[in-house]
Amino acid sequence: MKIVVSVIGVVLVAALTLFADAAHECERTCEAGDTRTCYYTFNLQEYHTMSRACFNCPFNTTDCSRPECIAGDGVARPLITINRQLPGPSINVCEGDRVVVDVYNWMLSDTETIHFHGHHMKDFQYYDGVPFVTQCPILGGSFRYNFVTTNSGTLWWHSHSGMLITNH
Ligand SMILES: *[C@@H]1O[C@H](CO)[C@@H](O)[C@H](O)[C@H]1NC(C)=O
């Protein structure tokens, strides 16, 4: 059984797939007895669409699919990203795997927590991402989420802090 944890996004899925990094070692055909520890790094930062990573986009549409280029609707605007991707990075693991995510908050003025929606988090309640309840919000530093997956499906992670909750 496969667990897919990803941020919900509607644009640029195809572009992201084209230029996605080489598959993570945990992205595999799941087999009984093969459980792994899967490490991820999330760099959270203020970024912008139509950045210099987009080169000559939209005039050369190939450039619009370059890594770290978020074209959006073609209008330059600020946004907050994880690993300069929209949608954010996916986590593809097998049920029973341990997921370890180091979240670095590089934003200058906002705190952050990440909620891994749909995971039961039994015995891992301190990684549920609820600010001021299960953890201090991440401010100017990092936090390591560390939990074992116990249910399968296509789930999604999202921000659970301040105004960023709206960035589902
Ligand atoms: C468009 O950009 C790609 C690289 O992103 C480049 O290989 C190609 O030559 C460009 N096309 C034109 C017409 O400039």
Side-chain angles (χ1 to χ4, degrees):
M1 291 209 275
K2 192 174 192 183
I3 293 179
V4 179
V5 185
S6 62
V7 70
I8 297 298
V10 288
V11 292
L12 295 181
V13 176
L16 186 69
T17 306
L18 268 176
F19 287 91
D21 292 339
H24 191 282
E25 60 177 312
C26 286
E27 192 171 343
R28 65 196 191 276
T29 302
C30 299
E31 290 173 20
D34 174 19
T35 55
R36 303 183 187 180
T37 300
C38 307
Y39 294 92
Y40 303 86
T41 302
F42 282 11
N43 283 299
L44 182 73
Q45 67 172 148
E46 288 130 352
Y47 196 51
H48 46 281
T49 60
M50 298 300 288
S51 67
R52 290 178 61 177
C54 294
F55 284 73
N56 203 27
C57 171
F59 304 106
N60 178 340
T61 52
T62 308
D63 281 340
C64 300
S65 301
R66 283 176 175 269
E68 300 192 355
C69 169
I70 299 173
D73 61 1
V75 177
R77 70 181 83 229
L79 82 167
I80 290 161
T81 58
I82 288 179
N83 299 351
R84 297 185 173 179
Q85 296 175 13
L86 182 74
S90 293
I91 294 176
N92 293 286
V93 299
C94 295
E95 187 174 340
D97 282 354
R98 177 178 290 273
V99 174
V100 180
V101 184
D102 287 321
V103 176
Y104 292 85
N105 182 2
W106 299 103
M107 295 186 294
L108 298 176
S109 59
D110 285 299
T111 63
E112 179 61 302
T113 63
I114 300 287
H115 175 66
F116 296 87
H117 192 98
H119 288 280
H120 297 161
M121 292 293 185
K122 185 172 181 299
D123 300 327
F124 301 100
Q125 62 272 24
Y126 296 117
Y127 304 108
D128 203 35
V130 186
F132 303 111
V133 178
T134 61
Q135 68 169 107
C136 292
I138 311 164
L139 171 64
S142 68
F143 184 81
R144 170 168 281 192
Y145 293 88
N146 185 342
F147 60 94
V148 174
T149 56
T150 58
N151 50 305
S152 63
T154 300
L155 309 169
W156 58 304
W157 54 261
H158 61 80
S159 163
H160 213 297
S161 199
M163 285 300 288
L164 297 183
I165 289 176
T166 59
N167 289 16
H168 282 182

